[in-house]
Amino acid sequence: MKKSVILCNLIFVCLIWYPLKAQGDVRLPAVFGENMVLQRDMELPMWGWADPGEKVTVSVDNREVTTEADGSGKWTVRLEPLKAGGPYALTIKGKNTIEFENILAGDVWLCSGQSNMEMRVRHVINSDREVANAQYPTIRLFQIVNDLSPEPRDDCKASWEVCRPSTIGDFTAAGYFFGREIMREVNVPIGLINASWGGTTIEAWMSPNAREACPEFRELLDYWAPVLSRKPPEVLRFYRGMAEWEEDVHYGEYVGNPLLKIYGTVPESPVKLAIVPQMPIWVYNAMIAPLVPYGIKGVLWYQGESNAGRAYQYRSLLPALITDWRALWKQGDFPFLYVQLCNYGAVGTKPSESQWAELREAQLITLTVPKTAMAVTIDIGEAANIHPRNKQEVGRRLALAALKTVYGREIVASGPMYESMTVRDGKVFVTFTNTGSGLVPAVGESLRGFTLAGKDKTFFRAHAMIMGDEVAVWSDDVPNPVALRYGWADNPGCNLFNREGLPASPFRTDDWPGITMGKK
């Protein structure tokens, strides 16, 4: 009897003691682990937790640094830069020891945005072949589970995986095809962090710090204040169910919002909640905050569909997001590359207004932010599918932008961009930058997609012809043209390229009272 009591007491003590002991063990967030890629050629920030005052030593490739956990148990170090290569082993020692193997040093890119960034490799054209051939041991994948939080989190659900057929199918296609191109061209290991969620608005990815610098973001926070302050558990449950629901919906095959039939009544809120998180900050809290300040080369951003209809607001929000993330990481003005909205919907047969065209314009204007670049995709969308499957070309065009703006390659990385217009003898003559080796229409076609208006502000379809480095545009309906638009529709059917095969960005030159170059 005594032996049984002693044994039970011993087990009880062990059960109590073990969690207390484990609680003091050195630990790191999920972004540090086996198979990870550390950003080359920069001081490497690393952090974790231990007992307050506990000494922690971090070492990799003969680089070692020792620190002490602060009063809250948080510790941080900065390792000396690593050259591209590996594999390396990383050791973290405190009261316990953690060892990570198969670590590479290379370039780390954060891939973020909504469904066209989230779209998986298994959904693209030739997906079976792409998955089967995805044997790239120097590309590493970090897939963050979709989640949201009322408060900033210090960790997320994910782990680093080596790129192989068994791991690539559910990873971001645009990010993967970009990383594959960069790996081949630059010959360094590539780390891809995927933090994307279909249907999210840009404000869902912004931190509270953007409030002071961006009045438009401040207005959104005020608009959502009843929900943000109340933090109802129903909203959290509702949103966490979205990831499971989206897994069962094939891209491009659903119309409308069948969500209510599945999940019942949407929680009461100041606005109608969409099928995925729309509220400011909460997605940032769960999916971006845990990454800061992990060393990165730059960001790939593929988003905008959920903000169409609020394009003038987006003109402030996208630059604010870029500034916000750069300030949070404290790694300078890292490159920020993004995808302009593609063509979508029925091809326009007559000039009209377009919310998608306005959003593309907002993205075009954001090129004034330093160290940004944009991939134009106005030619590779699908009329009936908001998630076009040719993500190979999206990734290639993003890679071209990176090779030129980030890696210093002397290449043509963009299609023609509007520069100026003049009016002579009733015709408009347009000049462009990024013409490469010359302007051309799509193969075997005449130019399409241009419209003209006079002082009456009524636009008519126009004829267009390439004349050397200019495009001449005219219309019998507009003898005295004042404004020109190109590609101004959801799906404009426009076809101006440079000889390198890259399409011109849509644009407009409107100059009405109260609107200058499309600015309200």
Side-chain angles (χ1 to χ4, degrees), residues 109-112 296-301 325 334-338:
W109 289 89
L110 170 59
C111 311
S112 190
I296 61 174
K297 186 71 171 181
V299 170
L300 306 179
W301 179 253
W325 285 13
F334 52 65
F336 194 99
L337 316 179
Y338 56 95

Side-chain angles (χ1 to χ4, degrees), residues 444-459:
E445 299 180 6
S446 58
L447 284 185
R448 301 191 313 272
F450 289 89
T451 61
L452 288 174
K455 291 182 180 180
D456 62 358
K457 307 179 186 179
T458 302
F459 281 87

Side-chain angles (χ1 to χ4, degrees), residues 368-397:
T368 58
V369 177
K371 294 188 178 179
T372 59
M374 182 178 74
V376 177
T377 61
I378 197 64
D379 60 318
I380 55 175
E382 298 177 24
N385 189 355
I386 200 170
H387 307 106
R389 297 177 299 149
N390 187 3
K391 291 298 188 284
Q392 292 91 330
E393 183 62 11
V394 175
R396 188 185 78 88
R397 291 179 188 180

Side-chain angles (χ1 to χ4, degrees), residues 90-101:
L90 175 68
T91 302
I92 305 96
K93 289 184 179 180
K95 294 176 181 177
N96 61 306
T97 299
I98 299 173
E99 293 183 345
F100 296 136
E101 303 287 339

Side-chain angles (χ1 to χ4, degrees), residues 83 115 217 343 352 431:
K83 295 294 183 183
S115 54
F217 185 57
N343 51 311
S352 63
T431 62

Side-chain angles (χ1 to χ4, degrees), residues 66 80 129 202 231-232 238 275 337 363 397 475:
T66 298
E80 293 181 9
R129 184 177 66 190
I202 189 172
K231 300 170 185 174
F238 177 85
I275 61 172
L337 316 179
Q363 294 171 319
R397 291 179 188 180
S475 171

